[in-house]
Amino acid sequence: DPPRPAAQAAIAEGQAAGMQIRMITGDAALTGAVVAKQLGIKGRAITGAEFRAMSDEEARSEVGGIGVIGRVTPEDKVELVDVLREKDNIVAMTGDGVNDAPAIKKADIGIAMGITGTQVTKAAADMILSDDNYATIIKAVSIGRNVYDNLMRFIRFQMAACYGYIIVFLGSSLFNILGGVPFLPIQTMWLNFTVNVLQAVGLGFGKPRDGLMKEKPRPKDQKILPPQLTAWLGVVGAVMGVGTLAVIVWGADAFDDTVARTMGVTTFALFRIVSSLETADEKRSLFSGYIFDNMTLIKSTAISILLIVLVTEAGILQEVFSMVSLTLEQWLICIGVAAVLLVVEEVRKFFKVRAGHEMPEPTDAAPAAAAPVTA
């Protein structure tokens, strides 16, 4: 069968995303090689007999350069899946025939054809491709990466907030700042149910980062919060907590407790906005303008800023949340202290990107994902 028009573009996108795509077919290896060349599948073509003749060590060492295996048996397909998994690949296997079922069952991700696939193959699969279109698999990978990336944004944002809250309340208790009550309960609830929620929505449902499908797959044993990231979120929380306490202490000395709490709540809310904007992309500077592509986050940020102003300046909200109006000087102090986090994040990104550019590219790394495709 001739290749589908969308298949070549999908395979190219998959390869750019770090997937190594192979064709295993019952047709002759020469036929498979011709079709593979049209599709852009890389690697040499061999027969199933040649593959079976290899020792386990030879198969593991040479499988990285094999793109097509022709005249395969069901056992060859299972063996290929085993070899790839032994090399620590995540293997996705697609197929439609009964002879594909064992390999589909053995793979990490078994994908059966929904239209032409047999019932046996569908029963063995983890997923069923309803339109029998290989491009849909690549689209699913893209959606999965987008969801995971947005989830990581949300986790980073929330964990930094947790550390910030801990430092504010613990520091207030240890040093008897405002009697150990930096925020009133109603003010803490306001922070959680307005600014925190709005910014979390902007991060979780906003536009994914550009270039996600050009990044290599993450290691399967990668932690959600590795030690280095956890430590950095602690630093972010410390900046927010210490900065907020400093503003409260200054406000209490210069004015009174109500003004101090109002400035503390305002400063912490502004810290949360800066944190959300910076964590939307861990690599690019906020001044690069990437944030303007994410209109969901822009809208949520605008609403958050409006609410911060209203809760300090609108009379009825002042009474409900025990806040008072701030002078221009007080506003500038809150904004200036919150901007410290902007500087800290930007400095970190500068050195992180610079260090990444200076790291040598790996020369002998195994592909992080492999996808045999039957024909």
Side-chain angles (χ1 to χ4, degrees):
D1 295 333
R4 294 189 180 187
Q8 184 175 6
I11 288 172
E13 186 177 3
Q15 291 171 337
M19 290 184 283
Q20 185 168 357
I21 299 167
R22 295 176 173 83
M23 176 187 295
I24 49 180
T25 175
D27 288 329
L30 180 59
T31 303
V34 173
V35 176
K37 185 176 181 180
Q38 294 174 350
L39 291 172
I41 295 177
K42 301 174 183 178
R44 63 190 179 94
I46 64 172
T47 65
E50 291 174 302
F51 183 66
R52 287 192 298 274
M54 294 180 183
S55 65
D56 292 343
E57 185 176 344
E58 289 174 334
R60 284 193 295 270
S61 64
E62 296 187 27
V63 71
I66 297 173
V68 177
I69 305 179
R71 298 299 185 196
V72 292
T73 65
E75 292 78 12
D76 296 332
K77 298 174 183 179
V78 174
E79 177 65 19
L80 177 60
V81 171
D82 286 337
V83 170
L84 291 170
R85 294 187 67 185
E86 287 174 6
K87 289 178 65 66
D88 207 29
N89 289 288
I90 300 296
V91 182
M93 172 71 187
T94 70
D96 56 6
V98 174
N99 59 345
D100 297 317
I104 285 177
K105 184 70 174 179
K106 194 69 177 289
D108 296 290
I109 308 168
I111 306 172
M113 301 296 115
I115 299 174
T116 59
T118 63
Q119 290 302 320
V120 173
T121 310
K122 293 178 184 179
D126 301 297
M127 302 169 61
I128 298 176
L129 198 59
S130 60
D131 59 359
D132 284 14
N133 188 348
Y134 186 80
T136 304
I137 298 176
I138 305 301
K139 180 65 175 177
V141 172
S142 175
I143 293 172
R145 289 193 177 191
N146 293 346
V147 171
Y148 184 85
D149 193 63
N150 282 358
L151 177 63
M152 286 303 300
R153 289 172 170 176
F154 172 80
I155 291 174
R156 293 193 300 266
F157 174 72
Q158 292 291 65
M159 289 303 298
C162 289
Y163 290 128
Y165 277 120
I166 290 171
I167 291 173
V168 167
F169 281 91
L170 185 60
S172 179
S173 298
L174 291 175
F175 298 102
N176 195 30
I177 300 173
L178 294 186
V181 186
F183 306 149
L184 297 177
I186 190 68
Q187 294 169 342
T188 304
M189 291 179 63
W190 178 84
L191 282 168
N192 283 328
F193 289 100
T194 55
V195 176
N196 282 0
V197 169
L198 286 167
Q199 298 309 111
V201 169
L203 292 170
F205 294 94
K207 180 183 176 182
R209 288 186 297 114
D210 293 333
L212 277 177
M213 284 300 287
K214 294 182 180 179
E215 296 181 2
K216 300 303 180 184
R218 66 184 184 277
K220 62 182 179 182
D221 59 348
Q222 178 177 300
K223 297 179 180 179
I224 295 292
L225 285 174
Q228 187 176 5
L229 177 58
T230 302
W232 174 250
L233 294 178
V235 171
V236 173
V239 172
M240 291 192 292
V242 173
T244 300
L245 288 175
V247 169
I248 292 175
V249 169
W250 182 85
D253 289 341
F255 303 101
D256 56 39
D257 289 0
T258 303
V259 173
R261 283 198 178 93
T262 300
M263 293 183 67
V265 170
T266 302
T267 301
F268 196 83
L270 292 173
F271 268 130
R272 302 303 295 127
I273 290 178
V274 173
S275 176
S276 66
L277 297 179
E278 286 288 352
T279 201
D281 195 315
E282 283 284 275
K283 298 179 180 179
R284 287 193 291 173
S285 167
L286 185 62
F287 298 103
S288 67
Y290 72 83
I291 200 68
F292 294 106
D293 294 330
N294 191 342
M295 290 309 300
T296 303
L297 183 55
I298 289 292
K299 292 175 182 178
S300 65
T301 299
I303 296 173
S304 293
I305 293 173
L306 177 62
L307 290 174
I308 292 171
V309 173
L310 287 177
V311 79
T312 57
E313 303 300 329
I316 186 170
L317 293 178
Q318 289 177 342
E319 295 179 8
V320 172
F321 295 103
S322 299
M323 308 274 272
V324 294
S325 297
L326 299 179
T327 65
L328 177 60
E329 178 190 11
Q330 292 165 348
W331 271 108
L332 291 176
I333 289 172
C334 295
I335 295 171
V337 173
V340 171
L341 181 59
L342 179 68
V343 176
V344 171
E345 288 276 14
E346 289 297 320
V347 170
R348 178 209 179 214
K349 287 182 180 180
F350 174 79
F351 285 105
K352 184 177 181 180
V353 171
R354 184 177 179 182
H357 287 166
E358 292 176 354
M359 288 179 62
E361 292 293 328
T363 57
D364 194 27
V373 183
T374 59

